[in-house]
C-alpha cells in the first residue's frame, strides 16, 4: 500500500518526536550484599534458593549472598556498611545495640525466621544427666561466643541449675570433647551439634537434647537484618527482598530436598543427604515450631520481644539496657496472607 504526501508527513513527524525516538529504559536492579550467619549449609537454602530461582531478580534486586562465620560477624558487617542486609541471631543484634549505643548505623531486624532459638544442651545418656538440674556442678563445653553458652544464665535461671564449670574450645572440637568424655555436656545449635556428634560415631539415640525452647526459654532466634541506611534510602528494596525471600522460603519448606540443590550449586563438596537433614531439622525445630505457628511466620509478639530484651541485658551484662523498639521494624513485612507459608504441622 502506498502512502500519500500527507500521510508521509505525519509519519515523519511522529518519527522525529522525542518521546518516540527515546528508548524505554528499564530501571537498574538495586544491588544488595547479604551476609549469612554461617557457612553454606542446609539452612542457607532459605536464601540461596530464591536467588537461584531468580525471585530477587524479578523483584528488581541484584542480591549477592555470602557465607559467614557467626551472627556477631554478620551484625558488625552490616553495621560497618560493607553489607546491606544479613542473617543473625536476635540476641547478638540486641547485644550490639546495647553495647554500642552511639554507633551511627545499628542494624535493625526486619523479619523473624527462627521463631525459637536453636540453642540446646547436649549430654550423652550414659552420663545420667537427663534433666537441666543434673547439670549443676558439671563441666560444660562450648566456644566462648556460642549462642547457647551466652544465654545459659537464662536457661539456668529458668530450670534451677546451680553453678557449672565452663571449658572453652574451638568449634570443631566441641562435639569431639563430649564424645571423648572430656566434658559432661555442651551447648550448641540443635541441627548442628547432633549431626556433628553422629559424624563422630555417636548414635542419635545415645544423645539427650535439651532444647532451650522446650525448657522455659522462649528466646527468638535468627532474624533478617537491614542497615538503617538501606531502610532510609531504599525502603522499597527492603520490602521487595522480604517478599522474594518469603516466596522462596515457602518452596524450601515444602521441598527441602530440592532446595538443597541451590546450596550444592554454591559449594560443590557439601554432603547433600546430611544438609537436607540439617535443613529439615531447622524447619521442624525453629522455623515451623509451635510458637511460630501461633505467632505467624516472620512476625514477633511485642511482650515476648520485651522479655527477651530484658533477659539478654542481664545475661550478657550489656553496657546499656536493650531497647526492644530499637531492634525491630516490622513495617516491611509482606501481608499476613503472603506470610502464610509454613508447611502442615507434623502429626
Amino acid at each position: 500500500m502506498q502512502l500519500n504526501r500527507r500521510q508521509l508527513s505525519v509519519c515523519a513527524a511522529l518519527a522525529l518526536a522525542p518521546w518516540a525516538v527515546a528508548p524505554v529504559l528499564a530501571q537498574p536492579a538495586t544491588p544488595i550484599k547479604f551476609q549469612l550467619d554461617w557457612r553454606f549449609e542446609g539452612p542457607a537454602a532459605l536464601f540461596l534458593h530464591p536467588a537461584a530461582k531468580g525471585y530477587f531478580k524479578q523483584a528488581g534486586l541484584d542480591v549477592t549472598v555470602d557465607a559467614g562465620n557467626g551472627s556477631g560477624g554478620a551484625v558488625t558487617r552490616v553495621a560497618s556498611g560493607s553489607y546491606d542486609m544479613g542473617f543473625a541471631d536476635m540476641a547478638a543484634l540486641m547485644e550490639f545495640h546495647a553495647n554500642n549505643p552511639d554507633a551511627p548505623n545499628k542494624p535493625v531486624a526486619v523479619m523473624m525466621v527462627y521463631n525459637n532459638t536453636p540453642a540446646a544442651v547436649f549430654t550423652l545418656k550414659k552420663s545420667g544427666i537427663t534433666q537441666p538440674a543434673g547439670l549443676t556442678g558439671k563441666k560444660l563445653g562450648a566456644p566462648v561466643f556460642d549462642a547457647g553458652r551466652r544465654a545459659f544464665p537464662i536457661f539456668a535461671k529458668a530450670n534451677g541449675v546451680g553453678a557449672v564449670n565452663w571449658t572453652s574450645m574451638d568449634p570443631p572440637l566441641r562435639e569431639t570433647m563430649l564424645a571423648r568424655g572430656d566434658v559432661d555436656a555442651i551447648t550448641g545449635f540443635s541441627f548442628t551439634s547432633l549431626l556433628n556428634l553422629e559424624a563422630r560415631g555417636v548414635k542419635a539415640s545415645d544423645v539427650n537434647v535439651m532444647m532451650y525452647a522446650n525448657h522455659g526459654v522462649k528466646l527468638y532466634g535468627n532474624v533478617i537484618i537491614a542497615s538503617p541506611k538501606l531502610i532510609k534510602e531504599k525502603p522499597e528494596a527492603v520490602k521487595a527482598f522480604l517478599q522474594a525471600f518469603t516466596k522462596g522460603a515457602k518452596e524450601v519448606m515444602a521441598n527441602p530436598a530440592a532446595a538443597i540443590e541451590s546450596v550444592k550449586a554454591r559449594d560443590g563438596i557439601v554432603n547433600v543427604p546430611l544438609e537436607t537433614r540439617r535443613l529439615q531439622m531447622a524447619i521442624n525445630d525453629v522455623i515451623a515450631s509451635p510458637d511460630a505457628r501461633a505467632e505467624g511466620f516472620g512476625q514477633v509478639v511485642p511482650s515476648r520481644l520485651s522479655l527477651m530484651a530484658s533477659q539478654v541485658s542481664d545475661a550478657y551484662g550489656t553496657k546499656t539496657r536493650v531497647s526492644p523498639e530499637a531492634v525491630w521494624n516490622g513495617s516491611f513485612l509482606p501481608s499476613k496472607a503472603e506470610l502464610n507459608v509454613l508447611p502442615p504441622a507434623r502429626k
Side-chain angles (χ1 to χ4, degrees), residues 150-223:
R150 301 296 307 282
F152 188 80
I154 304 172
F155 178 86
K157 183 178 180 179
N159 294 281
V161 180
V164 301
N165 302 304
W166 283 99
T167 297
S168 302
M169 74 284 290
D170 290 332
L173 292 176
R174 170 174 32 197
E175 292 79 17
T176 298
M177 292 184 71
L178 179 62
R180 290 192 316 213
D182 296 334
V183 294
D184 301 304
I186 60 173
T187 57
F189 276 9
S190 60
F191 48 78
T192 298
S193 287
L194 182 61
L195 297 181
N196 288 348
L197 283 167
E198 288 186 9
R200 287 155 179 77
V202 181
K203 295 180 180 179
S205 58
D206 292 333
V207 181
N208 184 54
V209 183
M210 292 177 265
M211 293 283 296
Y212 280 28
N214 296 336
H215 288 83
V217 181
K218 296 296 184 180
L219 299 177
Y220 284 116
N222 281 33
V223 292

Side-chain angles (χ1 to χ4, degrees), residues 52-188:
K53 296 287 285 186
Y55 296 155
F56 291 129
K57 185 176 181 181
Q58 293 168 17
L61 307 175
D62 180 12
V63 177
T64 302
V65 180
D66 290 337
N69 59 358
S71 286
V75 173
T76 56
R77 285 173 191 139
V78 174
S80 72
S82 58
Y83 283 83
D84 306 295
M85 301 181 74
F87 192 48
D89 180 42
M90 176 65 93
L93 177 66
M94 287 180 167
E95 182 184 25
F96 182 87
H97 270 251
N99 283 342
N100 301 274
D102 299 323
N105 192 47
K106 292 188 288 292
V108 178
V110 292
M111 187 174 200
M112 180 59 60
V113 181
Y114 292 175
N115 186 279
N116 296 103
T117 175
V121 177
F122 299 80
T123 64
L124 299 184
K125 290 184 177 179
K126 64 183 181 182
S127 71
I129 305 172
T130 59
Q131 296 298 324
L135 296 168
T136 301
K138 300 300 183 180
K139 183 185 293 186
L140 274 67
V144 294
F145 56 82
D146 175 70
R149 178 172 177 173
R150 301 296 307 282
F152 188 80
I154 304 172
F155 178 86
K157 183 178 180 179
N159 294 281
V161 180
V164 301
N165 302 304
W166 283 99
T167 297
S168 302
M169 74 284 290
D170 290 332
L173 292 176
R174 170 174 32 197
E175 292 79 17
T176 298
M177 292 184 71
L178 179 62
R180 290 192 316 213
D182 296 334
V183 294
D184 301 304
I186 60 173
T187 57

